[in-house]
Amino acid sequence: MSTTPQSPASLAPFGAWASPISAALVAAGATPLSSLALGADGDIHWLAGRASEAGRQTLQRRHGGRTDEITPLPLNVRSRVHEYGGGAYAVRGDTIYFSHFADNRLYCRSGEAEAAPFTAPGRQRFADFVVDAARARLIAVREQHPDDSGAPGLPRAQPVNTLCAVGLPGSAAAGAETVLASGHDFYSSPRLSPDGSLLAWLTWDHPRMPWQGTELWLAAVLADGTLGTPLLVAGGADESVCQPEWAPDGRLYFVSDRSGYWNLYRHNGDAGAAAICPMEAEFATPHWTFGNAMYGFAGAGEIVCTYIDKGVSRLARLDIASGELAAIANPYEEIRELKVGGGFIALLGGGPTIPLELARIDLSSGELEVLAHSIADTPDLGYLSVPLSISYAGAGGRTSHAFSYPPANKDMQAPAGSKPPVIVISHGGPTGMTVNTLKLATQYWTSRGFGVLDVNYGGSTGFGRAYRDALKGQWGVVDVEDCIAGAQYLVEHGMADGERLIIRGGSAGGLTTLCALTFHDVFKLGASYYGVSDLKGLDQDSHKFESHYNEYLIAAAPQAEALYQARSPINHTDRLARPMIFFQGLDDKVVPPQQSVAMVQALRQRGVPVAYVPLEGEGHGFRKAENIVRTLEAELYFYQRMFGLPTAGAQAAVEIHNL
C-alpha cells in the first residue's frame, strides 16, 4: 500500500507514519471558494474563506489578469438565512451589494468607494439577491427574526420568511423594505426576466424540505413594482423544483425531479413544461444554501451545464432544439457551480489530485486558465492517496457507493503482513453527498497510514430520487447499514484491519456514527463532530429550516415518539462501550451543544473512555485555523492512544476520561 521505503527508519506501523501534511497545513492551505458571479467586461467574482481570519469570507474579483480583494477586513460577506446562508452578494456593473455577517445589514460598494450600509439595523437577514435596476431596488429573500425575549416555557417563535424589495442607495426609497410575496414558510431563487416584466421564485412549506417538494411561481411585475396574481408553474408536495433561470429570449427554464432525476425543463405557458434533455443524471444538488447554479445560457439556443452521473460531474454544451449534449473537455470530476459569460465559462471544480479551484474555460478554443486555488501548495503526489470508486452490496439488496482511500506516503512503509486501521466517514446532511475532490483533511489521515472510506450511503444525492428516498423513515438505519457494509467490504478484500475500524461524522453524520457504535459492534472507536444524539431534542432545539426534517427522516407524530426513543443514542448509553471523542462549537444553532454534552456525561458515568473538545466562537462547522488544527491533532492523538500507537506529540494531547 506504499512505495518501497528509502531507509530502514521509514518503517512504522500503519497509523503512526510521519507525514509532511500537518494539521497547520490543512488549516492554512484550505481556502474555501464559493458563490460565483459575473460582472462588467467579463469580470469574475467569488468568495474566498480565510481560516486565519476567523473564517471570514471576502469577495474577490478577477479583472483582466489581476485579482483584487473587494471587501477587506473587517467586512465578512456572509448570510445566515436558513442558518446555512449562501447567496450573500450580487453584482451590477462595477457595483456590489452584499450582506455583512457582523450586523446582517446590506452594504453597497460602487467603484473604488468604501462599502457602506444602506439598510437599517434590525433582526432581519437577507440572501439570494437580484438587482432590479429599472426600479432601483434589490429583490431578495428576507428572514425576519423575532425578539429573543420570549416567555419562559413557551415554544420559541420562528422567523418569518418573505420575498422583499430593498431600495438601492441613491434612490428615493434607499434602504426601504417592501414585502412582495408572503404566506409560505420558505422562499428562494427570485429571478427577474430579461425585460423586467416577470418575476419567478420558489416556495415550500413545512414539513417539506426543498429536495422533497417545492413550487415554482410566476407573476407579472406591475407598474408600481408590486406583483400581480402568482401563477403556479411547476412543482408540488412530491416534486422538487430548483434553479429557475431566464434564457436571453425571455423563456423560463428550471430543474425538476419529476422523472426521478433532477433534469432540465422549459416552461411553455399553457402547454406545460417540456423536458430538454431527459436522462438518468442530476442537473442539481439539494438546496442547503442559496445561489446554486449548475447551468447557464451561451445564447437563446444553447445551455452550458454540469450534471452528476453516478456521483461524478460532467461538463457539456446542450443544444436546446435537439436535446443533444456535447462534452466540454476538462480535468474535473466535481464541478460545484458554474457561470456562463460572453464566450467563456467560470466554474469551481476539483478532482482526486486537484483541490477545488476556480477555472475559466474559453468556449471557442477550450483553453483552461486556473484563476484561484483552494490550496496554495499541493503536497507532492507521493504523499497523496488517489481514491477508488467502489460499489458494494448494502442491506436490503441495495447497491451502495463510496470512495476508498488507501494509505499513501512515499517515505513510509508498514510492517509486512499488517493491515491499516480505516476511518469510515459518514457525511452530513444527511441529504448530501461526498465527492472525490482532493481534500487535505483526508490526506492528513492517509499520509499517516490510515485508510479512509468516504460513504455515499442510501439517502445521498447524485444517484437519483429513489436512492435519495432510501433514507425516508430510515435515518439511523440505512446510513448505518451502508457504513457497516462498506467497512466489512474493505476487511473482506484485505484492505482494512477488522479490529481497528473507526467511524467519524459531523452533524447528521454524527448520528450515524453514534448509532453505529451504540447498536452495532463493528467499529472500535468513533469521533462525533457536533453530532445528533437526541432526535427529540433536535426537534425541540432546531432552527426553522430543519425543524420538521425528522418527519421525513423518521416519522410524523405520534409515530415518531417510539422511533425517537429507539434510535436516539442518548437513550441507550448502556449499550455504548466504544471509546469516543466529541467536538462541539458552542455557538452551534443547528445541533446545540447539549447534544454532545449529554453523551459525554453519560459515557463518563459509565466508565467508557471519552474526550470532549468544546470550541468557543464556533458554530455548525469550524472556520478558525487554530480550531481546525486543534481538532485534527486531538483526534489523531485519541486514535493513537486507543490503539496503542506512538502519539504525534504532547501538543496534541487531549484529556481522555476513564482511560
Side-chain angles (χ1 to χ4, degrees), residues 173-453:
E177 301 171 22
T178 304
V179 173
L180 299 178
S182 63
H184 289 279
D185 290 326
F186 300 99
Y187 290 81
S188 79
S189 311
R191 299 294 182 262
L192 197 62
S193 63
D195 64 2
S197 66
L198 297 168
L199 184 72
W201 70 92
L202 296 171
T203 67
W204 65 97
D205 294 291
H206 286 317
R208 286 175 284 152
M209 298 297 283
W211 45 87
Q212 295 170 245
T214 56
E215 294 87 30
L216 174 59
W217 298 91
L218 184 62
V221 184
L222 305 180
D224 62 357
T226 61
L227 301 181
T229 302
L231 171 70
L232 180 62
V233 170
D238 298 308
E239 179 185 359
S240 174
V241 175
C242 55
Q243 294 187 76
E245 298 290 350
W246 294 93
D249 63 1
R251 305 183 78 173
L252 179 62
Y253 290 72
F254 59 92
V255 175
S256 166
D257 71 350
R258 61 179 62 178
S259 71
Y261 289 83
W262 272 313
N263 279 191
L264 281 163
Y265 291 81
R266 181 179 60 237
H267 173 54
N268 288 334
D270 293 340
I276 305 304
C277 181
M279 59 190 299
E280 293 186 353
E282 305 272 51
F283 288 77
T285 56
H287 178 100
W288 284 104
T289 57
F290 292 97
N292 301 323
M294 290 178 62
Y295 72 98
F297 295 89
E302 184 177 79
I303 290 173
V304 176
C305 58
T306 180
Y307 58 92
I308 302 169
D309 180 15
K310 298 179 178 62
V312 175
S313 292
R314 313 295 183 191
L315 182 66
R317 296 172 183 257
L318 171 60
D319 182 275
I320 295 174
S322 68
E324 293 183 359
L325 285 168
I328 298 174
N330 72 93
Y332 306 116
E333 294 191 18
E334 180 203 7
I335 298 175
R336 196 163 294 180
E337 59 176 292
L338 62 77
K339 293 290 184 180
V340 184
F344 72 92
I345 318 164
L347 61 82
L348 294 175
T353 59
I354 305 172
L356 190 70
E357 58 190 28
L358 168 61
R360 183 188 187 278
I361 299 178
D362 187 282
L363 283 171
S364 297
S365 66
E367 180 182 356
L368 185 149
E369 179 185 8
V370 177
L371 306 181
H373 301 270
S374 62
I375 298 176
D377 298 309
T378 304
D380 184 283
L381 288 175
Y383 299 110
L384 300 182
S385 176
V386 177
L388 305 170
S389 180
I390 65 171
S391 297
Y392 53 91
R398 184 177 57 257
T399 298
S400 303
H401 310 280
F403 295 110
S404 176
Y405 296 79
N409 185 322
K410 67 178 184 178
D411 299 331
M412 305 300 299
Q413 187 179 47
S418 62
K419 294 181 176 62
V422 167
I423 301 169
V424 174
I425 298 176
S426 53
H427 65 69
T431 306
M433 68 178 293
T434 190
V435 295
N436 64 2
T437 290
L438 175 64
K439 297 179 286 290
L440 287 186
T442 301
Q443 305 297 329
Y444 177 84
W445 299 108
T446 55
S447 63
R448 285 169 171 75
F450 291 87
V452 171
L453 185 71

Side-chain angles (χ1 to χ4, degrees), residues 424 426 503-506 508-518 526-528 580:
V424 174
S426 53
I503 186 167
R504 76 192 293 265
L511 176 76
T512 307
T513 294
L514 290 164
C515 286
L517 292 164
T518 301
S528 170
M580 287 200 66

Side-chain angles (χ1 to χ4, degrees), residues 478-544:
V478 164
D479 47 328
V480 174
E481 290 172 344
D482 285 0
C483 287
I484 289 172
Q488 292 172 330
Y489 176 92
L490 295 187
V491 172
E492 291 166 3
H493 287 77
M495 302 162 68
D497 181 347
E499 296 303 313
R500 294 192 296 168
L501 295 174
I502 303 165
I503 186 167
R504 76 192 293 265
S507 188
L511 176 76
T512 307
T513 294
L514 290 164
C515 286
L517 292 164
T518 301
F519 304 122
H520 305 270
D521 61 2
V522 172
F523 298 103
K524 310 306 178 185
L525 301 176
S528 170
Y529 280 74
Y530 36 89
V532 176
S533 64
D534 180 2
L535 291 165
K536 186 173 183 179
L538 185 66
D539 274 358
Q540 295 169 344
D541 296 325
S542 186
H543 58 119
K544 179 183 177 182

